[in-house]
Amino acid sequence: MDKYAFTPEECGIRIDKYLSEKITSQTRSSLADLIEKGGVTVNGKTVAKNYKLRAGDRIEVTIPDPIPYEAEAEDIPLDIVYEDNDLLVVNKPKGMVVHPAAGNYSGTLVNALLYHCKENLSGINGVLRPGIVHRIDKNTSGLLIVAKNDTAHKGLAEQIKEHSFTREYRAIVVGNLKNDKGSVDAPIGRHHTDRKRMTVTEKNSKNAVTHYEVLERLKGYTYIKCVLETGRTHQIRVHMAYIGHPVSGDDVYGIKKEKTGFEGQCLHAGKIGFVHPVSGEYMEFVSELPDYFEKYLNKLRNKSL
């Protein structure tokens, strides 16, 4: 059980908002649910999530221990671009979650990898994310590297840390970019009220750099290439929205009710390059645009004629 005291300036703040700023390991919605279930008391009594703090309030929070869970192997087809004894490169389809989490305990890439690789996955990221060195979002398609052992995992992770890891994406963004080339250098951190979102902020953030290049200009849209210098959560999506050109179809950072014909953002991890952590050989792999991307691109081209 944790106890919290607050300053006079914080009087009048909703308790779910207050706790979401104090307990960064939980989302605001999960804390609201905890409040509703009686896991939070004020002056020894349960309250509603919209309770507003008053002078002298004593807040106590009891967060239950997480339910133990270990990802299970599932026979799910994988599009494997490359594989050896140390790693594999997978072409992830749009709509597939990378690793199990609340609400997605099956049907993920990790479930498929456990079936394909058996026991041959690095254990650095634990039982829920074995082999996962880096991630791409559920509705982002494209290339992902998986480590089969801890040595490979550490070598790949070090390259990501040093920004020597090549990651190139293709995206369709809303609007007409002013310049043919550019960079977005803006730190990214958790949104201060919505813990599921990321945002450009100076508070509790990490540096983030995205380079972009226009590939084709369309009516109301731009087809671009993005190269990541850093790899923050939702980086391209956040950065493009920040400069006023959100990724088309992005239902979190983009235009609401935009009609694309598919779910989520039009974003594809098309190229990945790295030095093999064991052999020392530089390797590079390319994934062609998937059908959903090609069809949408051709649809916009026809509208631009």
Side-chain angles (χ1 to χ4, degrees):
M1 180 183 292
D2 295 317
K3 299 180 180 181
Y4 294 87
F6 56 93
T7 64
E9 291 78 12
E10 291 172 316
C11 287
I13 296 176
R14 281 176 53 131
I15 191 167
D16 57 347
K17 181 177 186 296
Y18 169 80
L19 290 177
S20 70
E21 294 175 351
K22 299 294 181 182
I23 308 174
T24 57
S25 62
Q26 303 288 318
T27 65
R28 183 168 175 176
S29 60
S30 67
L31 287 167
D33 185 58
L34 183 66
I35 294 168
E36 293 295 321
K37 291 179 178 178
V40 176
T41 62
V42 178
N43 304 324
K45 297 180 180 180
T46 58
V47 294
K49 63 183 179 182
N50 61 353
Y51 175 85
K52 293 184 178 180
L53 299 179
R54 301 169 186 169
D57 280 346
R58 300 186 311 278
I59 305 169
E60 294 184 347
V61 179
T62 303
I63 298 176
D65 293 331
I67 299 172
Y69 175 84
E70 186 169 338
E72 297 181 356
E74 295 179 39
D75 186 4
I76 301 170
L78 286 172
D79 181 3
I80 298 174
V81 179
Y82 173 82
E83 182 174 13
D84 62 25
N85 292 330
D86 301 296
L87 57 86
L88 64 158
V89 179
V90 179
N91 196 21
K92 186 188 83 68
K94 186 180 185 66
M96 176 182 266
V97 176
V98 170
H99 62 78
N104 287 292
Y105 285 118
S106 65
T108 74
L109 180 65
V110 162
N111 296 114
L113 288 168
L114 285 169
Y115 183 89
H116 176 78
C117 297
K118 310 305 180 194
E119 302 298 321
N120 298 318
L121 286 172
S122 76
I124 288 177
N125 274 334
V127 296
L128 288 182
R129 293 188 289 172
I132 302 302
V133 184
H134 66 115
R135 294 176 290 171
I136 55 178
D137 301 331
K138 172 185 177 181
N139 285 321
T140 298
S141 55
L143 299 173
L144 195 72
I145 297 181
V146 177
K148 285 188 171 183
N149 53 61
D150 289 357
T151 299
H153 193 128
K154 290 175 182 176
L156 292 167
E158 187 63 27
Q159 291 179 56
I160 293 175
K161 183 180 179 180
E162 294 177 350
H163 311 316
S164 60
F165 200 82
T166 300
R167 280 174 288 180
E168 183 181 299
Y169 288 71
R170 298 298 173 99
I172 294 176
V173 298
V174 177
N176 197 336
L177 284 162
K178 182 178 179 181
N179 300 314
D180 288 339
K181 292 184 178 182
S183 298
V184 185
D185 185 348
I188 291 176
R190 289 281 173 193
H191 195 279
H192 67 287
T193 58
D194 186 347
R195 308 302 294 177
K196 293 182 179 180
R197 296 183 62 185
M198 308 302 289
T199 189
V200 170
T201 177
E202 296 291 340
K203 185 178 180 181
N204 297 323
S205 59
K206 294 181 179 180
N207 73 299
V209 182
T210 304
H211 307 287
Y212 65 84
E213 178 182 342
V214 173
L215 299 177
E216 188 174 349
R217 296 185 183 277
L218 305 157
K219 187 176 181 180
Y221 294 86
T222 310
Y223 174 35
I224 65 172
K225 173 177 72 176
C226 289
V227 176
L228 293 182
E229 188 171 312
T230 55
R232 309 306 175 202
T233 301
H234 300 174
Q235 180 171 316
I236 293 173
R237 298 165 63 191
V238 171
H239 271 172
M240 297 316 295
Y242 176 68
I243 64 172
H245 297 280
V247 177
S248 183
D250 194 329
D251 51 8
V252 177
Y253 305 102
I255 297 174
K256 303 301 180 184
K257 298 182 180 179
E258 184 188 8
K259 295 181 180 179
T260 60
F262 50 81
E263 184 179 353
Q265 63 277 0
C266 189
L267 184 61
H268 178 67
K271 180 187 289 186
I272 199 162
F274 56 94
V275 174
H276 193 288
V278 176
S279 72
E281 176 190 1
Y282 179 75
M283 309 183 80
E284 192 169 271
F285 301 92
V286 175
S287 168
E288 299 300 322
L289 293 179
D291 287 345
Y292 83 89
F293 201 122
E294 283 279 14
K295 288 178 181 177
Y296 188 50
L297 187 56
N298 288 330
K299 177 182 175 181
L300 294 177
R301 284 168 174 161
N302 290 334
K303 286 185 177 180
S304 301
L305 295 176

